[in-house]
C-alpha cells in the first residue's frame, strides 16, 4: 500500500512562512516526479510546484520566487518552503507523486491534504 502523508500546515499571518512536508511509503519502484497542488474553496485544483527525479523543478508563475520545493536524498520526502504568504494562498495543499509501481506501469498517488490558512 502506497501512502503519502502531508504535514506542516496551519494558520499563519500574512507575510509569514510555513514548511510543508510529504513522506512517501509503500510499494514504489522509482519516483518520476513529486509535486504540490492546492485547492481553495470553490476553485479548481492547481499545480504549485514540482520536482523531477533528476532534481529539476517547476513552479507556478504566481508563486515562483516565494516558494521552494525540495526532496531528501532517498527521494522519499518532498518539502515545500513557503515564504511571504498572502491570504490568497489559503487552500488545502496536496502532495502528489507519479511513480513506477512495476517495471511496465506507473500511476499517480495523492495525499489527504493539509490546510494552510493565511489570515490576520
Amino acid at each position: 500500500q502506497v501512502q503519502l502523508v502531508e504535514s506542516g500546515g496551519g494558520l499563519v499571518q500574512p507575510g509569514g512562512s510555513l514548511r510543508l512536508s510529504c513522506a512517501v511509503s509503500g510499494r514504489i519502484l522509482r519516483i518520476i516526479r513529486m509535486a504540490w497542488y492546492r485547492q481553495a474553496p470553490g476553485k479548481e485544483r492547481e499545480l504549485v510546484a514540482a520536482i523531477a527525479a533528476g532534481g529539476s523543478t517547476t513552479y507556478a508563475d504566481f508563486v515562483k520566487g516565494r516558494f521552494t520545493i525540495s526532496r531528501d536524498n532517498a527521494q522519499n520526502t518532498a518539502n515545500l518552503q513557503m515564504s511571504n504568504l498572502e491570504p490568497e494562498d489559503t487552500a488545502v495543499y496536496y502532495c502528489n507523486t507519479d511513480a513506477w509501481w512495476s517495471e511496465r506501469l506507473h500511476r499517480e498517488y495523492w495525499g489527504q491534504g493539509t490546510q494552510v490558512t493565511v489570515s490576520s
Side-chain angles (χ1 to χ4, degrees):
Q1 183 178 356
V2 176
Q3 290 185 318
L4 281 66
V5 180
E6 301 104 331
S7 62
L11 175 65
V12 65
Q13 295 185 11
S17 300
L18 285 174
R19 183 178 179 87
L20 306 183
S21 296
C22 174
V24 181
S25 63
R27 181 186 50 81
I28 291 179
L29 296 181
R30 292 180 299 278
I31 292 176
I32 300 170
R33 186 194 74 155
M34 296 192 71
W36 287 94
Y37 289 76
R38 72 183 187 185
Q39 186 167 24
K43 307 296 183 182
E44 295 183 353
R45 187 172 299 185
E46 62 182 347
L47 176 69
V48 178
I51 183 166
S56 62
T57 57
T58 301
Y59 296 95
D61 289 341
F62 182 77
V63 298
K64 189 174 183 178
R66 299 185 299 137
F67 300 172
T68 301
I69 189 170
S70 62
R71 65 177 186 176
D72 71 356
N73 189 51
Q75 295 184 314
N76 61 356
T77 302
N79 302 306
L80 184 69
Q81 178 66 50
M82 303 187 294
S83 300
N84 195 25
L85 286 162
E86 301 174 350
E88 64 191 58
D89 295 316
T90 296
V92 177
Y93 284 70
Y94 296 92
C95 183
N96 164 273
T97 185
D98 187 10
W100 296 97
W101 61 273
S102 76
E103 293 297 328
R104 306 285 295 188
L105 301 172
H106 67 95
R107 59 155 291 180
E108 292 188 7
Y109 302 89
W110 291 91
Q112 294 298 309
T114 184
Q115 177 71 48
V116 171
T117 302
V118 185
S119 177
S120 60

